[in-house]
Amino acid sequence: MRGWPGPPSHRRRARMPVFSRKPAETATIDDREVEALDRWFRAANYLAVGQIYLLDNPLLERPLVAADIKPRLLGHWGTTPGLNLLWTHLNRLIRQRDVNAIFLAGPGHGGPAAVANAWLEGTYSEVYPHVGSDRDGMRALFRQFSFPGGIPSHVAPETPGSIHEGGELGYVLSHAYGAAMDNPDLVVAAVVGDGEFETGPLAASWHANKFVDPVRDGAVLPILHLNGYKIANPTVPARIPREELESLLRGYGHEVITVEGDDPYDVHRQLATALDRAHDRIREIQRGAREDGQTERRPWPMVLLVTPKGWTGPATVDGVQVEGTWRAHQVPLAETRENDEHRAILEQWLRSYRPEELFEPTGVPAAGLRDLAPHGVRRMSANPHANGGLLRTPLRLPDFRTHAVEVTEPGGSIHEPTRVLGRYLVDVVRDNDSTFRIFGPDETASNRLDAVYEVTDKVFAGEIRPTDEHLAHSGRVMEILSEHTCQGWLEGYLLTGRHGLFSCYEAFIHLVDSMFNQHAKWLKTTRDLAWRPRISSLNYLLSSHVWRQDHNGFSHQDPGFIDHVVNKKAEVVRVYLPPDTNTLLSTMQHCLSSQQYVNVVVAGKQPSFDWLDAESADLHCARGVGIWDWASNDDGDPDVVIGCAGDVPTLEALAAVSILREHLPDLRIRFVNVVDLMRLQDEKEHPHGLSDRDFDTLFTIDKPVIFAYHGYPWLIHRLTYRRTNHHNLHVRGYKEEGTTTTPFDMVMMNEIDRYHLVMDVIDRVPGLGSRAALLRQQMGDTRRRARQWTREHGDDLPEVREWSWSELSAPRHGRSPSTTAAPATSADFV
Amino acid sequence: MRGWPGPPSHRRRARMPVFSRKPAETATIDDREVEALDRWFRAANYLAVGQIYLLDNPLLERPLVAADIKPRLLGHWGTTPGLNLLWTHLNRLIRQRDVNAIFLAGPGHGGPAAVANAWLEGTYSEVYPHVGSDRDGMRALFRQFSFPGGIPSHVAPETPGSIHEGGELGYVLSHAYGAAMDNPDLVVAAVVGDGEFETGPLAASWHANKFVDPVRDGAVLPILHLNGYKIANPTVPARIPREELESLLRGYGHEVITVEGDDPYDVHRQLATALDRAHDRIREIQRGAREDGQTERRPWPMVLLVTPKGWTGPATVDGVQVEGTWRAHQVPLAETRENDEHRAILEQWLRSYRPEELFEPTGVPAAGLRDLAPHGVRRMSANPHANGGLLRTPLRLPDFRTHAVEVTEPGGSIHEPTRVLGRYLVDVVRDNDSTFRIFGPDETASNRLDAVYEVTDKVFAGEIRPTDEHLAHSGRVMEILSEHTCQGWLEGYLLTGRHGLFSCYEAFIHLVDSMFNQHAKWLKTTRDLAWRPRISSLNYLLSSHVWRQDHNGFSHQDPGFIDHVVNKKAEVVRVYLPPDTNTLLSTMQHCLSSQQYVNVVVAGKQPSFDWLDAESADLHCARGVGIWDWASNDDGDPDVVIGCAGDVPTLEALAAVSILREHLPDLRIRFVNVVDLMRLQDEKEHPHGLSDRDFDTLFTIDKPVIFAYHGYPWLIHRLTYRRTNHHNLHVRGYKEEGTTTTPFDMVMMNEIDRYHLVMDVIDRVPGLGSRAALLRQQMGDTRRRARQWTREHGDDLPEVREWSWSELSAPRHGRSPSTTAAPATSADFV
């Protein structure tokens, strides 16, 4: 066969489930059960339509009038009946087999469905007592939906049973696989919309099934729902030959069970059978792996569900087809308040669900309906896995001091910070072997965390060959070359109550900017939901950072993720720039124990000087910013403040200090290092912000401040523009100045190098005299020589490579390293 | 078959190309041709290894010594031989069939390959005469690679023949399809690495083949190169059963032609045949569509190439296997300068390519080698499609005035700005029917640009049904629900010399933050490459913006793309916030005619007031910022400046002015609107920046400035922190303040509403007296009432919804609208 046959007839082609190409078996459920399923389906649809349209008259006790209709009709009907159908049938599976399942709605714009089912299950009224399980409650349920002071139109943090917002499409499968990890009994039903199917993150995440350990992990049941349309277009998977789509899904590693139709009873029969079979297959795979020691990867089942968009809604409106087209995407009847005809269609539509069979006259769901809900925590709306804070236990964390490097004098030794962190993580992995994972896009070893392979492996369910290293069916390290999948996995893992670390190249973490946005919004919203206990923080370790991308060049240089993060609500974001090994350890210990934040930690992997011993590091990190006495000679009254944040800027700033000390010994320098970037911000803007008084104490109110910063320099201005001494602040940082290929050339190109910092100081401190003028000239000459040297020799000037913080330049550092931290403030280090 | 058979033997399984499951045909090329192909392959490999390692002794005229070796070994060998192999064979195809082809290297870290082939083809020396086609040139070629002052280690803008950087993985297919659009004779060879294969953007972009018009577009030939490994791991596609992978690729809509082996001569035979067949198939499909009117989508050919990572490199080093493993990813011999044994292996490796057969003693490529290169513009390194500025012709643009709305008085009429823009675009589409396309993730109609469907359609090669609207095999609108694919398409289209517009929801444009980064870096770098003429700007139209996401809620609210964009080099980024319909038209006309920028235009789609007539709008946009006289009563000496940027902030600011005028008629207000955000920045920081003098003239040096801004408020501070009057600047903007469901509630929640702005003015202007105090109290009461009203009625307060800029409140606006723009400066509007 060279091509494909002509387009298939879309509907009514394969009504019975197709299972592994065997003839479909006869459905085994009886008519009474079908009728019961349909009742729930109708009830959920009724409640969804009610949410979209009704202000009042929830039980249709009288004909609908204009005042019963909301003035602004907002919501998405199109995907909603499909979600209701699936919830209905998953409940059957849960009841009949006592399955522990949660529901992830990829098409999260179908918010009315999740809310309707949670209300039918009683959970909604338990969580929100003002939305009771009766007529008044139903009225409140309808009224609040997408209404000022009410709830969002999408599945949201406010929705019981949800860990997946769905506001931005593409993440349902990676969230689902993250939720299933280390939850061997859990089944995560993940509905993929056929619009979402087109997105990149979703397309990549199909391959997450090659990272499932059927022994220790639970199962994901992907359900691809083809309703055929997006906002204004057909979807791609609905418009390719079915055999092509099935070839694709089998190629993703799935066995496809198809359910297709537009007659509810028929579809109920098909779907019940399909879910039974899918669940049988899941258990078969798990039993094989758990009991019979089968190690070979086997295709996991998935369901392909084909039903019309806006199913059971108005077939046509104003003479135009709505059901089964993109026109059903949002609100099929747009003028229901003003237009009597539309309102009549709405009433007819609502009555088509026969509410009188579904609810008691009091509004309470009818007895036969209530019996269809699973009990207690088996309800998908009440499953604690969908409210991870309930299940979360703190990590067992070693004291970082047990892994701290010995530092007898600042700059007296050299370590690779992330490599030492790797040793700390060995303990974390060993002591938390079912609640902690490390995620990364093929960069765990590159970022020098590979010590963890002493105690764990990278998970892989594909073929493993004898030459592979640290690859196994089970392990704590998750690597796939998709930042989107890594982020989605970690979010799913955290939202279900566990802990994790995402290690990534700094530049490419921008790939998940938008995912970070959604997660930060989730954290912000759930802080105010008392019924959702806090979850673990999302921890980023960004290594291979902008200053050490000299070998990969311009395309790998971008420190802007920090800028992106600080736009989000202050109460949920934290940014740390530990300058050396021990501060990295202290910072990471703190981050791993924290809750409800996004922590961004930027740290180097290259060999670099140790500045602080364990105790000094801990104090410095606890305070977040501090004067390094051993690098200062200001005796409380500086001529200039040299500030820095980030490992490379700290190195260059200290080297600048050593030059100034040697050549201008009378210049009184205060050296301030910032670990916790948010300390710079106003205390009114961020909980970590220094008070103005404390800021002024550190940075003075009138002396020049030369600040060497890891990222884009203007961020420092943005954080400090309200400070007294802001007009004296001169920031050096990354400026998109193109590629280069030695570390020092890179800093020179952006004018954040030691020589330029010395020039900055001389330019800004008045009255330094002729010796300083001479030094300034010398610095310019040295810079030119350094540039020339790299072009001739391909490496940095030896005096740069071999520089160290010497006795001569720092006469006071003989004593043990210490920091004078920021004055204590009301803002604790949290 | 329920599962799969056991893991297949990886190599030597299917040596002959598989074509549509028919028995493989015998290769038709003779031994002499195979030998010739292998010579080019060896030469390219030799030149690639030389680039990675050698400072000197390029022709190995003497044994290698330490000084011949670079001190820092940087580069990626692993993928390089595969790219060389493909370039070799594509050249054969080009020569034999006169094919017009370009080469896109997905694994762009294989920079040495692209450079080596460009040098062999002579192009490199034509573009860079200092790298001649002889021994000195070869030495320069080797030395410059990943060397200070030299060229990047990745395929880069500096590389002749490249439109695809490859620094960040995932975009090669979308770039390729963008390049092929409207180039019916072009064949775009797109190499997909098996690491890149795992990324989300790449995974989605396979479906781009459903958007190719075989009549008007060229062809993309995807070549999936399985070398089996990433940085530290095997790749997913290399470790699933081959039949599963082929099922996936067929599911993507391709006919798979497999080439596999590790014996070069054998692979040469297979690959030559495979490319011949793939090209036959491409022509067959095109002929069918163009000559026989076939409209049915047919599977396009693709090549699956399986060769070892680091092929032809050292098999083992220090007793460990390197070739055919992840260890070949970067530099197989890390200590070549210091370690004599490594250096000996390197020399042996280089000599294995028999350089004496490849180059004359002078270093010139041997005659037999030179003959293998295509001629002139047929060389892939010299094809003008890979240097789009050469082919670019300006768009034919109508004068926006022909579509401007009539404005007889400010606020006297209402239009939907993007809907009117749609009418303008009708002309653009009609007058540029092979050089302009509109891209968007299913949002063209949602963003109200649907007038364009009067003259064109949305392209779709999948099944089209009678109920579909505006869907056709040919058209100017590209819609797929993947922002990544849209962006990649547009980049590919622009980089090959055409024009386009990307219309997207504001919040979700963050999905392509990282792609924007790479494109901005490309534009920055190519500005300095004289041989690359400028290309058209990348134009974003962000509608459905943060202030009108009340119906979708918190998850759809994010104005941070602007912040992200302004981090990039000032000379390539522009941000516009047109406040009404005519300013949007003027702005867009400017953007569409511009070159070498990224233009971000944020504009509303909801009905909103017209403020400026066409001439005033044009002047205002040309100046970028200006005083609106008709909204001001300061007579040159204001008590307060009210500034604004963005459509909703402008509305609220004007409403605040109307309240202040009514209640505090003596208060002298200056009203300043900003269209071009970069005008706020210092002229030293951005070419559009106002001089301090001009800024001071507009915003005063000592009066309170209340500024209502579309996005995160601190961006305005960041842009203006150096300005004289910055300490008097009070900015209101979006603050991540959660969901809501009416437009006015949304602005109230973020305190950017008219009532709050009035309170801000009263708080900051001294000496306003008791009447102002009363007004302030009244404003607070009104806000509370407005909030309460939304909660009761589900809609905004009538006095808010019905507000208009009235005679009463603006006594001077009877005359025609006008603006007093910023003083002319040296910064032209470019």
Side-chain angles (χ1 to χ4, degrees), chain A residues 236-249:
Chain A
V236 168
R239 296 297 180 91
I240 59 177
R242 189 61 52 79
E243 52 266 47
E244 190 175 335
L245 178 60
E246 288 179 359
S247 175
L248 182 67
L249 299 173

Side-chain angles (χ1 to χ4, degrees), chain A residues 140-215:
Chain A
L141 185 82
F142 290 178
R143 186 181 173 91
Q144 68 167 7
F145 175 81
S146 214
F147 200 81
I151 64 168
S153 71
H154 292 233
V155 179
E158 291 90 340
T159 315
S162 172
I163 64 162
H164 177 80
E165 216 272 358
E168 181 171 278
L169 301 176
Y171 315 127
V172 68
L173 282 181
S174 55
H175 283 169
Y177 282 97
M181 288 174 192
D182 297 313
N183 277 325
D185 294 329
L186 192 64
V187 173
V188 185
V191 187
V192 181
D194 52 349
E196 172 170 36
F197 179 91
E198 298 176 16
T199 67
L202 195 285
S205 64
W206 287 105
H207 292 295
N209 61 14
K210 280 106 202 166
F211 298 84
V212 171
D213 173 9
V215 176

Side-chain angles (χ1 to χ4, degrees), chain B residues 414-429:
Chain B
I414 286 178
H415 286 88
E416 296 155 284
T418 56
R419 195 177 295 286
V420 179
L421 176 65
R423 300 230 54 87
Y424 180 78
L425 292 175
V426 166
D427 286 7
V428 181
V429 163

Side-chain angles (χ1 to χ4, degrees), chain B residues 469-787:
Chain B
E469 291 182 356
H470 313 304
L471 221 52
H473 293 122
S474 203
R476 300 285 99 201
V477 179
M478 308 300 300
E479 296 215 319
I480 185 172
L481 212 173
S482 164
E483 285 81 357
H484 295 108
T485 305
C486 291
Q487 170 90 14
W489 273 341
L490 176 54
E491 289 179 4
Y493 200 60
L494 297 175
L495 287 161
T496 48
R498 281 77 64 79
H499 310 264
L501 173 66
F502 184 176
S503 128
C504 187
Y505 279 24
E506 184 182 34
F508 301 142
I509 197 68
H510 273 300
L511 282 159
V512 299
D513 276 2
S514 215
M515 297 183 78
F516 155 80
N517 279 351
Q518 298 297 326
H519 191 72
K521 284 173 185 280
W522 181 284
L523 293 176
K524 188 261 184 195
T525 303
T526 53
R527 279 179 75 89
D528 301 328
L529 298 175
W531 61 273
R532 283 205 188 259
R534 298 191 176 190
I535 61 171
S536 301
S537 300
L538 195 163
N539 300 306
Y540 293 103
L541 172 66
L542 305 184
S543 197
S544 307
H545 63 53
V546 60
W547 298 107
R548 291 290 164 85
Q549 282 298 338
D550 38 289
H551 62 300
N552 278 311
F554 197 34
S555 65
H556 286 51
Q557 296 165 2
D558 192 299
F561 189 65
I562 298 173
D563 302 63
H564 181 69
V565 163
V566 299
N567 273 342
K568 287 289 168 278
K569 214 61 192 172
E571 66 232 33
V572 300
V573 296
R574 303 287 183 269
V575 179
Y576 300 100
L577 295 154
D580 74 351
T581 294
N582 285 336
T583 49
L584 173 61
L585 293 179
S586 169
T587 299
M588 198 53 80
Q589 176 172 356
H590 170 73
C591 292
L592 289 173
S593 64
S594 72
Q595 296 173 55
Q596 205 75 7
Y597 300 143
V598 174
N599 296 307
V600 180
V601 181
V602 186
K605 66 182 184 183
Q606 303 291 344
S608 51
F609 289 114
D610 305 317
W611 306 118
L612 302 184
D613 64 22
E615 290 310 322
S616 308
D618 202 36
L619 179 63
H620 187 48
C621 291
R623 294 297 169 84
V625 53
I627 298 169
W628 283 4
D629 286 342
W630 50 269
S632 306
N633 65 341
D634 64 314
D635 288 321
D637 179 23
D639 300 314
V640 64
V641 178
I642 295 183
C644 53
D647 58 353
V648 168
T650 299
L651 170 69
E652 292 304 316
L654 283 168
V657 168
S658 73
I659 295 167
L660 288 164
R661 289 279 199 93
E662 181 179 347
H663 295 273
L664 302 174
D666 296 336
L667 181 71
R668 293 189 307 275
I669 301 170
R670 173 178 295 174
F671 190 90
V672 177
N673 181 267
V674 179
V675 182
D676 175 354
L677 201 62
M678 297 298 101
R679 293 296 264 165
L680 295 178
Q681 206 165 10
D682 196 293
E683 65 183 335
K684 290 186 291 293
E685 297 286 333
H686 195 284
H688 287 195
L690 288 173
S691 71
D692 276 338
R693 201 191 52 196
D694 294 341
F695 189 93
D696 293 348
T697 304
L698 285 172
F699 290 98
T700 80
I701 55 168
D702 55 1
K703 295 296 171 10
V705 180
I706 310 297
F707 199 102
Y709 171 55
H710 172 84
Y712 294 111
W714 33 80
L715 180 64
I716 301 301
H717 288 294
R718 175 192 140 175
L719 295 174
T720 60
Y721 69 84
R722 288 193 175 129
R723 303 297 192 177
T724 317
N725 199 26
H726 177 253
H727 64 286
N728 270 322
L729 180 63
H730 306 280
V731 186
R732 296 289 170 187
Y734 180 67
K735 296 187 302 178
E736 293 284 335
E737 272 305 342
T739 191
T740 181
T741 51
T742 74
F744 195 67
D745 206 34
M746 174 74 194
V747 297
M748 275 199 294
M749 191 168 294
N750 290 282
E751 300 183 337
I752 190 176
D753 60 283
R754 56 197 66 179
Y755 304 126
H756 207 281
L757 294 176
V758 169
M759 290 157 66
D760 283 341
V761 168
I762 294 171
D763 289 345
R764 271 137 190 133
V765 178
L768 287 180
S770 58
R771 190 166 169 190
L774 197 66
L775 178 61
R776 196 193 183 293
Q777 193 180 336
Q778 187 187 332
M779 292 292 98
D781 293 345
T782 309
R783 289 186 94 238
R784 279 184 289 277
R785 185 162 54 88
R787 168 64 56 94

Side-chain angles (χ1 to χ4, degrees), chain B residues 63-78:
Chain B
L64 280 181
V65 296
D68 293 336
I69 311 298
K70 297 184 180 185
R72 303 177 77 232
L73 296 175
L74 306 169
H76 296 79
W77 165 248

Side-chain angles (χ1 to χ4, degrees), chain B residues 433-444:
Chain B
D433 73 350
S434 62
T435 55
F436 176 74
R437 295 202 187 205
I438 297 170
F439 301 81
D442 190 28
E443 292 164 6
T444 305

